Amino acid sequence: DAGVIQSPRHEVTEMGQEVTLRCKPISGHDYLFWYRQTMMRGLELLIYFNNNVPIDDSGMPEDRFSAKMPNASFSTLKIQPSEPRDSAVYFCASSPGDTFIDEQYFGPGTRLTVT
Amino acid sequence: GNSVTQMEGPVTLSEEAFLTINCTYTATGYPSLFWYVQYPGEGLQLLLKATKADDKGSNKGFEATYRKETTSFHLEKGSVQVSDSAVYFCAFGAGSYQLTFGKGTKLSVIP
């Protein structure tokens, strides 16, 4: 299996622009998670989905952030408009969901820089 | 509320030295405990886990024991290698599919 795939790996954009991050989870995994990693705040869970349905989005920082999962093999995280404080590494992870102690498999991350 | 506290880094060790990274948690009930590792430029990957009190998780020479009485899950390795240089995250899951992560401890092993 190719593992969790994220694109792009690096994104540089100007403040005010729309940014879309993409994720393809491991086939057959029922859970998908979006995280943000910064030096100051560490690793934060933004939102997670079960069978394409958002379960908990309480970690989404504000209305500028939105996430969708139109099908089992694709999810997007959108920031509109982007701000310099959104600069971070964004990870997508998926999990089989058989039990709540299942391992989460992380993608390589997207490093976002907003200037 | 639920939280994880792990020792702050960075930690720098010589090759073959003994490693301990402390981790304590605050949670209701009996969480499952995890250590994840992040190598440079990569995502996190599971290193080991323990699902109940007194369980010992182990992998690649690393060990951690679930201590309910001290709410701890310290990571240890008897002899580190340069290839162990990475950031290590303690995490727990408390009866849901979410994980709560510590802030990470960066380990550098020098030859």
Side-chain angles (χ1 to χ4, degrees):
Chain A
D1 200 316
V4 175
I5 299 172
Q6 291 187 248
S7 64
R9 292 293 310 274
H10 302 273
E11 177 79 39
V12 180
T13 191
E14 292 183 347
M15 184 174 65
Q17 296 299 305
E18 177 180 296
V19 175
T20 299
L21 312 181
R22 297 173 176 80
C23 174
K24 176 179 169 57
I26 293 173
S27 177
H29 282 193
D30 291 338
Y31 283 80
L32 184 140
F33 306 82
W34 281 102
Y35 292 89
R36 178 172 67 177
Q37 185 180 40
T38 61
M39 290 293 292
M40 290 297 295
R41 301 172 68 93
L43 196 64
E44 304 172 277
L45 176 66
L46 300 178
I47 185 171
Y48 77 97
F49 295 83
N50 177 27
N51 292 324
N52 315 336
V53 176
I55 302 301
D56 186 346
D57 65 355
S58 59
M60 297 284 263
E62 47 197 276
D63 291 345
R64 298 184 297 106
F65 286 69
S66 62
K68 294 182 179 179
M69 192 164 186
N71 57 61
S73 59
F74 184 66
S75 177
T76 59
L77 178 68
K78 185 178 293 187
I79 308 172
Q80 166 62 20
S82 58
E83 297 182 3
R85 61 193 167 119
D86 302 330
S87 297
V89 181
Y90 290 81
F91 289 103
C92 175
S94 70
S95 174
D98 295 329
T99 75
F100 65 83
I101 58 172
D102 280 343
E103 175 180 355
Q104 291 186 17
Y105 295 78
F106 282 74
T110 295
R111 181 174 294 278
L112 173 65
T113 303
V114 183
T115 60
Chain B
N2 296 338
S3 66
V4 176
T5 302
Q6 60 181 104
M7 65 185 282
E8 293 197 16
V11 174
T12 302
L13 295 174
S14 297
E15 207 166 20
E16 299 184 2
F18 184 84
L19 169 71
T20 299
I21 301 178
N22 291 338
C23 171
T24 58
Y25 66 89
T26 302
T28 55
Y30 302 101
S32 297
L33 302 173
F34 306 81
W35 278 100
Y36 278 76
V37 59
Q38 183 180 27
Y39 298 103
E42 299 182 11
L44 283 70
Q45 53 186 277
L46 181 67
L47 180 60
L48 53 85
K49 69 180 180 184
T51 58
K52 60 183 187 295
D54 300 325
D55 266 2
K56 177 186 283 189
S58 61
N59 186 24
K60 300 181 182 180
F62 290 89
E63 294 182 339
T65 301
Y66 187 155
R67 302 287 188 197
K68 187 165 69 100
E69 63 277 10
T70 55
T71 62
S72 65
F73 192 54
H74 304 322
L75 182 68
E76 297 182 335
K77 186 174 185 182
S79 176
V80 293
Q81 305 300 311
V82 172
S83 57
D84 295 325
S85 297
V87 182
Y88 293 82
F89 292 87
C90 185
F92 76 82
S96 75
Y97 289 87
Q98 296 184 54
L99 292 179
T100 300
F101 286 87
K103 295 205 166 182
T105 302
K106 183 175 182 179
L107 169 67
S108 297
V109 180
I110 54 177

